[in-house]
Amino acid sequence: MGGRQDELSHEQGVVDELYARLDTLRSRARARLRSVRREGPSGSPQNRSERDAFATLYEDRTAQLDAVEDRLAFGRLDLADGTARYVGRIGLADDDQRSLLTDWRAPAAESFYRATALQPGDVRRRRHLATSGRTVTGIEDELLDLAAADGIDASTLSGEGALLAALATRRTGRMSDIVATIQGEQDRIIRAALAGALVVQGGPGTGKTAVALHRAAYLLYAHRRTLEKSGVLLVGPSRSFLRYIDQVLPSLGETGVVSTTLGELLPDITATAFDDGAAAEIKGRLVWADIVRRAVRARERVPRRDVRVRLDGYDLVIRRRDVRDAIGKAHRTGKPHNEARTGFVRDMLARLAEQYQRASGADLAPEDRAIVLEDLRSLREVRVALNIAWFPISPKKLVDDLLSRPHRLAEAAPELSEAERAAVLRDPWAPWTESDVPLLDEAAELLGQDAAVSRAEDAARAAERAEALAHARTVIESGAVAGAMFAIDAETLADRFATTGPRLTTAERAAGDRAWTYGHVVVDEAQELSPMAWRMLARRVPTRSMTIVGDVAQTSSLAGARSWADALSPVLGDAWRLEELTVSYRTPADVADTAQRVAKAAGLPASPLTAARTVDGAIVDVPTTAADVLATVTHHLGRLASEFVGPDGAGRVAVIVAAPRVAALRTSLSAALPDALGPDLVERLRAQRPEDRQVDVLSPRDVKGLEYDAVVLVEPAEIARADSGWSDLYVAMTRPTQRLVVVHAEPLPDRFAG
């Protein structure tokens, strides 16, 4: 082995070869895509379907190959048999199927994350490659077998340098993957079994979100056939959070994950408003399953008196006892309200037809009976009476009536006190809140769809699927897919043949189907979910295969979890297991230690936490007067922005303040910043979209799950006084990766002491 420069040159040659192979595969995929598109829309519907199918296959492959451009290869394993194995974002092989690059998720790459000096396995040396674009800029070696030390240039040896370098990098407003720096405890969780619910508890900065995303990518790789058709659902706390993480999975070669918030989980519903703490807590209780059920049953009622109608000169009676019997019969079918209504109406019309037959004295032939039934169905008096007895209703209408009409709520919710009912009442058709969505889902589950429409749709889908599968087998047997760039089975191809137009993505199909069920669900910031929200999510994963990540010490919502057992046992029973992350990679030691003291003294269930690094001057305490808070914040914000905010869009600084003061402080700072930051920087910052702001004023709720280079924390005592204030303060304190500046006119809470 030569010196360091020779090593760099060697690795550059390997990386050049890998990118050349990537370029070749991209060119082939694009050429085949162009070839398919050149055929145009002509031909039979079957031929067009076939072309659309292949087009989407090549589009998917092209997107995957484009997404892995950055840091294609990041590691190398030198093995005991003298061979070297390169590890990267995806697997690459040459035309003879000899491996060039091992996918980080493959079993062969596991030792890159797991091997240690105590348990090296067959690994003698682990090498990290640092790259910029397609250029190798550095290497770092970890020697795991001392017997292999001879002939190795000591200048390449180090430990955890790649990790520390990644942690010191300025924030960009988008989460980066950690695929090159996954640590042992994280890798063990990422590769855990698919079955059951895995709860990942960890304090701030332990990488919970990154672990959850990499686990989703790993499961899609390891269980492709199981998960690809049903998909993986990722539920995040906010749209800004989803924007923050939206590049991670594509960079790992996966685009089949459906990302959403709770407020956007149902088709045709976008709930961006939030209830106050008390209303959210009340709506989150599991008792609402009974309340909504009673509200549905209230739309099924026996009339106060018999109803007389007339057909062809004959008097008929909609009798109360008949309605009662028909309702009971419909209930025994076990069908949802709107679906069972079809049977109820059919039963009542049959009873009226029998009255008609007796009154007329005629023995009705089947065709005559059908005419009578249709005439009865058309009578306005009959329609009105049967609608009153069994009212067809949508989930939106049912929940809106329940929350806006006091008598409806009082009738359905006797468990709630008068004050609790008053807390959740609102104006008719007010905007939906996130807390309303589980109630809407519960209503949709109990109401169901029109039975006739559902049967027709199911039959059509089954016939379409059978035809597509048969055609796919024919196409494969004919050799039409010979020479394809990747293996294609009949079921995968049939998915592309299911329609005559371009196929819908999993996300598009799932977005339009409330009853869609997923193969796996990932929930981030899961401690914020209410019991009703858990009930809603459990419907979407019948297998209960879930990755649940969060920290019960950071729970802000009054409806959220204070313990995982209390939150999960009602919906999952004992079918869940707990793993803990204990090392904080993001938060400097001084900040982490102070935050831990605050959390424990406040009685929060904070997990044990060990910071991985120290940063000089990580905490700055700035006492001031009430009159000078704005000037002090402006001064320190200017200093932090000049240090951390770069013209390339990298660098993030946040001012975190109690929610009621966000708008006023943002306005005041906007006027004061030109003097502090200079007009050029201020002009650039003001031109940025809200989601890309490098400097912003935010509440603790706004920053949940996010990270910043530096944070100015304003009046922590004020934050602590709010509902769930200590959890909010714990969140706010642990957002920075480099520096926390605490500006306060009020005395710091006693829990800051020490």
Side-chain angles (χ1 to χ4, degrees):
M1 302 290 288
R4 183 178 184 84
Q5 192 56 49
D6 291 339
E7 290 288 292
L8 285 170
S9 297
H10 171 76
E11 300 298 4
Q12 184 64 61
V14 173
V15 169
D16 288 343
E17 180 184 358
L18 294 174
Y19 274 108
R21 181 60 178 169
L22 181 67
D23 289 340
T24 297
L25 295 176
R26 285 172 173 168
S27 297
R28 290 178 183 176
R30 288 169 180 154
R32 286 170 176 158
L33 179 59
R34 286 194 299 270
S35 176
V36 169
R37 286 174 171 168
R38 274 199 300 269
E39 296 182 24
S42 61
S44 68
Q46 188 176 56
N47 289 339
R48 292 197 298 272
S49 173
E50 187 174 319
R51 285 195 296 273
D52 288 337
F54 281 111
T56 56
L57 283 169
Y58 293 130
E59 286 169 354
D60 289 349
R61 182 60 170 167
T62 300
Q64 181 193 45
L65 295 173
D66 287 343
V68 298
E69 170 71 22
D70 186 38
R71 294 179 298 164
L72 174 64
F74 50 77
R76 171 180 134 182
L77 294 171
D78 291 349
L79 306 177
D81 62 4
T83 61
R85 180 182 300 150
Y86 284 86
V87 179
R89 295 184 175 279
I90 60 171
L92 293 177
D94 63 17
D95 287 333
D96 296 323
Q97 297 306 306
R98 289 177 299 189
S99 177
L100 302 176
L101 185 65
T102 300
D103 192 301
W104 68 275
R105 299 166 288 188
E110 187 172 327
S111 54
F112 183 76
Y113 304 106
R114 300 279 191 93
T116 66
L118 292 177
Q119 294 181 317
D122 62 347
V123 179
R124 301 172 65 186
R125 176 174 61 176
R126 174 170 46 222
R127 169 167 287 181
H128 295 270
L129 306 178
T131 57
S132 177
R134 296 188 171 193
T135 302
V136 179
T137 59
I139 55 176
E140 179 187 84
D141 291 341
E142 296 175 72
L143 191 61
L144 304 183
D145 182 359
L146 293 178
D150 292 343
I152 292 180
D153 183 0
S155 66
T156 67
L157 297 178
S158 185
E160 299 187 346
L163 172 63
L164 295 177
L167 295 174
T169 303
R170 286 185 299 174
R171 307 300 99 179
T172 64
R174 294 289 187 274
M175 175 179 272
S176 299
D177 62 74
I178 60 167
V179 65
T181 58
I182 293 170
Q183 302 301 292
E185 71 169 2
Q186 297 173 328
D187 187 69
R188 177 171 49 82
I189 293 170
I190 288 169
R191 297 175 191 267
L194 172 66
L198 175 63
V199 178
V200 183
Q201 161 71 33
T206 52
K208 299 183 296 297
T209 297
V211 166
L213 295 173
H214 288 69
R215 175 162 166 75
Y218 169 77
L219 292 176
L220 282 165
Y221 173 87
H223 304 278
R224 180 76 62 188
R225 186 175 294 278
T226 301
L227 297 178
E228 190 170 43
K229 295 182 182 67
S230 55
V232 172
L233 173 67
L234 169 64
V235 179
S238 65
R239 180 49 53 184
S240 60
F241 174 85
L242 294 179
R243 281 194 298 267
Y244 174 61
I245 66 172
D246 65 3
Q247 296 303 310
V248 174
L249 284 165
S251 76
L252 299 174
E254 297 297 342
T255 58
V257 175
V258 180
S259 299
T260 186
T261 64
L262 281 175
E264 299 169 319
L265 189 55
L266 300 185
D268 304 321
I269 297 288
T270 301
T272 56
F274 295 92
D275 286 302
D276 63 34
E281 187 277 326
I282 296 167
K283 289 182 182 179
R285 298 175 191 171
L286 279 177
V287 70
W288 281 87
D290 294 327
I291 293 172
V292 175
R293 182 177 293 107
R294 291 190 200 107
V296 172
R297 285 298 177 93
R299 305 304 175 122
E300 306 159 4
R301 57 192 178 188
V302 178
R304 294 180 179 179
R305 59 182 63 86
D306 293 345
V307 178
R308 299 187 179 278
V309 298
R310 191 171 180 83
L311 178 65
D312 296 339
Y314 300 107
D315 290 324
L316 310 176
V317 181
I318 300 175
R319 293 188 287 255
R320 296 178 73 250
R321 67 173 184 270
D322 287 342
V323 174
R324 184 182 299 107
D325 290 346
I327 288 176
K329 185 177 178 180
H331 283 164
R332 289 192 291 275
T333 68
K335 294 179 179 179
H337 172 88
N338 287 336
E339 296 176 21
R341 180 180 182 275
T342 302
F344 166 78
V345 171
R346 187 184 300 117
D347 191 351
M348 288 301 303
L349 292 177
R351 293 169 189 260
L352 291 172
E354 289 172 4
Q355 289 186 39
Y356 179 91
Q357 182 169 323
R358 288 195 299 269
S360 66
D363 187 10
L364 297 176
E367 58 272 20
D368 294 328
R369 181 179 173 84
I371 293 172
V372 169
L373 288 171
E374 188 57 38
D375 288 344
L376 286 167
R377 189 190 304 273
S378 301
L379 278 179
R380 180 180 181 280
E381 296 89 342
V382 171
R383 291 201 311 272
V384 170
L386 296 188
N387 277 343
I388 291 174
W390 193 296
F391 191 74
I393 192 169
S394 71
K396 293 180 183 178
K397 175 63 174 170
L398 183 90
V399 175
D400 184 72
D401 280 357
L402 191 57
L403 297 179
S404 63
R405 298 189 178 188
H407 73 281
R408 291 282 187 192
L409 187 57
E411 176 186 44
E415 303 93 335
L416 300 184
S417 69
E418 186 175 345
E420 288 171 331
R421 291 197 294 270
V424 300
L425 282 170
R426 47 98 179 279
D427 293 333
W429 296 114
W432 297 114
T433 68
E434 189 174 275
S435 305
D436 294 333
V437 174
L439 310 187
L440 289 161
D441 189 61
E442 192 74 25
E445 190 74 9
L446 294 173
L447 292 173
Q449 298 178 339
D450 181 270
V453 173
S454 295
R455 284 195 299 271
E457 290 177 348
D458 290 345
R461 278 194 294 267
E464 184 180 89
R465 176 65 179 175
E467 181 181 353
L469 191 57
H471 178 51
R473 292 193 181 107
T474 302
V475 171
I476 291 175
E477 290 168 1
S478 72
V481 298
M485 299 167 57
F486 40 88
I488 304 173
D489 58 52
E491 292 207 352
T492 299
L493 196 57
D495 287 339
R496 274 64 172 180
F497 291 165
T499 63
T500 57
R503 78 175 171 95
L504 297 175
T505 65
T506 298
E508 290 168 333
R509 287 181 288 141
D513 186 355
R514 188 205 65 84
W516 186 276
T517 56
Y518 296 85
H520 190 77
V521 171
V522 179
V523 189
D524 205 343
E525 299 294 338
Q527 74 277 356
E528 303 298 335
L529 269 61
S530 71
M532 283 299 293
W534 281 115
R535 182 177 170 89
M536 175 174 65
L537 286 183
R539 286 195 185 98
R540 277 142 183 85
V541 55
T543 62
R544 300 299 189 261
S545 176
M546 306 176 80
T547 300
I548 299 164
V549 297
D551 179 11
V552 288
Q554 297 185 58
T555 303
S556 296
S557 172
L558 293 181
R562 269 61 187 179
S563 83
W564 291 117
D566 291 347
L568 300 177
S569 295
V571 290
L572 299 180
D574 58 359
W576 59 279
R577 59 196 189 277
L578 179 68
E579 295 279 359
E580 286 200 80
L581 294 171
T582 59
V583 179
S584 178
Y585 301 100
R586 175 185 70 213
T587 314
D590 287 347
V591 176
D593 292 345
T594 303
Q596 284 287 99
R597 286 200 308 273
V598 168
K600 290 177 180 177
L604 300 179
S607 298
L609 199 64
T610 301
R613 65 198 179 103
T614 59
V615 176
D616 291 339
I619 299 183
V620 180
D621 179 17
V622 186
T624 186
T625 65
D628 291 333
V629 167
L630 176 60
T632 305
V633 170
T634 304
H635 169 72
H636 284 276
L637 186 58
R639 294 182 62 180
L640 294 173
S642 64
E643 181 175 355
F644 293 108
V645 175
D648 57 354
R652 291 292 185 277
V653 179
V655 177
I656 303 179
V657 65
R661 297 183 57 181
V662 168
L665 186 56
R666 184 178 286 160
T667 300
S668 299
L669 282 176
S670 180
L673 282 180
D675 291 337
L677 303 184
D680 293 341
L681 177 56
V682 168
E683 183 177 354
R684 176 161 57 83
L685 295 177
R686 286 177 176 168
Q688 293 173 344
R689 297 178 299 178
E691 61 266 27
D692 294 327
R693 284 176 181 154
Q694 292 177 267
V695 176
D696 205 355
V697 180
L698 302 158
S699 72
R701 177 191 282 268
D702 297 329
V703 299
K704 189 172 287 290
L706 308 181
E707 60 185 14
Y708 299 87
D709 295 277
V711 165
V712 180
L713 178 61
V714 182
E715 297 292 11
E718 182 180 358
I719 293 174
R721 284 196 296 271
D723 291 338
S724 300
W726 290 110
S727 293
D728 288 345
L729 182 56
Y730 187 47
V731 170
M733 292 178 66
T734 53
R735 297 308 96 194
T737 64
Q738 303 294 331
R739 192 168 306 150
L740 175 67
V741 177
V742 184
V743 176
H744 59 100
E746 295 186 46
L748 288 175
D750 292 340
R751 295 164 176 83
F752 270 80

